[in-house]
Amino acid sequence: MASTVTKMNIVTNPLLTFAGAALKDARPKQIALSGPAGFLGSRVLGCILDAHDYRREHGLEPGEVVLLSSSPGNLMSRLTARYGAQRMTSVRATRVDYYFQHDLDSWRDQLGSLGMGGPDAVFINLAALAGPIQSRPDAMMAVNYRAPMAAARACEALDFGHWIQSSTQAVKAERAGQVPYSRWKAMADYSLARLDRLPVSVLTLGLLYCKQEGVVGQRG
C-alpha cells in the first residue's frame, strides 16, 4: 500500500513533472528546513519527500532533510503517522529555539554536529512570527531577524551551498517599520544580501491558498 501511495505521489506532483530530469542529475542534498509544521513548511516537506521517493525509484541516494523544531519528538511522531516509516528514513529532526538561539557559535556547532555543511547543504528558512506575543515584546525581532541571521552566518561558516528565505510582500511604509513583521523580515533580507560567501535566494510570497483545504495561509 505504501509503495502504491508513493508512486501516485511521484506521478501527480508537478515538481517531478518539470524538474524530474534535474533531480536525477543532481547530487543528493542535505536540507535544513525551519518551520516544517507550518502552512508553507509542511507543503515544502511533502515535496521534498516526493523528490526523495523519485530518486529512490531511479536507484539514487535520496539525500536527507533535517527538520528544525521546538518539539522534534512530537513532530517526528506526527509525520511518521502521516507519511509512514519507510518514507521518513531520510528525515531527522533537531530542537532549535528561534526565540533565544541568536549566536553564530550555537548554530554552527549544532548544524556541524549533525554533519551538515559543504556545497550540497541547503538551509530553507520558513520559520516566522507574524504577530506580537504579549509576554515577549521582542519576539518578532527574535524569530524574524536575530535567529535567522545567526543561522545564516553559521551556514556561511560551514560553507553551505544555498540559503532560501521566505520573506514578505510589503510597501515601503511597511518596511520602514509601521508593520513590525515586515520591518524585521526586510532587515533580514538586507543582511542576507550582504553575506559574502553564502548564495541566497529571497522568495516574496504575497498570498498562499490551499485549494484542498480551502484556506488562506499567509498574507504578506
Side-chain angles (χ1 to χ4, degrees):
M1 180 64 180
S3 178
T4 301
V5 172
T6 295
K7 289 180 179 179
M8 288 177 61
N9 290 335
I10 290 174
V11 170
T12 59
N13 191 325
L15 167 69
L16 304 178
T17 301
F18 294 104
L23 285 171
K24 285 191 290 185
D25 291 340
R27 291 172 54 85
K29 301 297 183 184
Q30 295 178 309
I31 300 173
L33 176 63
S34 72
F39 181 91
L40 181 57
S42 61
R43 286 155 178 79
V44 170
L45 175 60
C47 288
I48 292 172
L49 293 178
D50 288 349
H52 286 183
D53 293 337
Y54 183 81
R55 287 179 60 87
R56 289 190 188 97
E57 287 285 319
H58 289 85
L60 301 170
E61 182 182 345
E64 70 166 345
V65 57
V66 176
L67 307 179
L68 309 181
S69 170
S70 61
S71 185
N74 290 336
L75 176 64
M76 289 296 286
S77 295
R78 293 197 306 271
L79 292 175
T80 300
R82 177 178 179 181
Y83 292 111
Q86 182 178 355
R87 298 192 73 196
M88 291 291 290
T89 56
S90 57
V91 181
R92 293 185 287 166
T94 187
R95 186 182 306 277
V96 300
D97 190 335
Y98 266 52
Y99 291 107
F100 296 101
Q101 198 167 338
H102 301 151
D103 61 292
L104 182 156
D105 288 349
S106 68
W107 277 102
R108 181 197 59 207
D109 296 344
Q110 184 169 3
L111 294 171
S113 69
L114 293 169
M116 302 198 76
D120 295 318
V122 179
F123 195 113
I124 304 177
N125 184 50
L126 304 180
L129 182 64
I133 295 178
Q134 188 172 4
S135 61
R136 285 215 57 185
D138 64 339
M140 295 181 72
M141 176 181 68
V143 173
N144 298 323
Y145 174 64
R146 295 188 66 190
M149 286 316 306
R153 293 186 179 102
C155 289
E156 185 178 45
L158 292 168
D159 297 320
F160 268 54
H162 200 182
W163 174 284
I164 300 174
Q165 169 87 349
S166 173
S167 187
T168 176
Q169 185 179 54
V171 300
K172 289 184 178 180
E174 291 172 328
R175 285 182 173 265
Q178 291 183 22
V179 178
Y181 172 77
S182 298
R183 173 192 176 190
W184 299 119
K185 278 289 189 177
M187 288 174 61
D189 296 348
Y190 177 76
S191 189
L192 286 166
R194 295 169 60 211
L195 295 176
D196 293 328
R197 295 183 293 104
L198 180 65
V200 171
S201 296
V202 177
L203 308 179
T204 301
L205 306 172
L207 187 68
L208 304 180
Y209 174 72
C210 177
K211 65 180 180 180
Q212 285 83 11
E213 298 178 11
V215 294
V216 173
Q218 174 181 325
R219 187 171 301 174

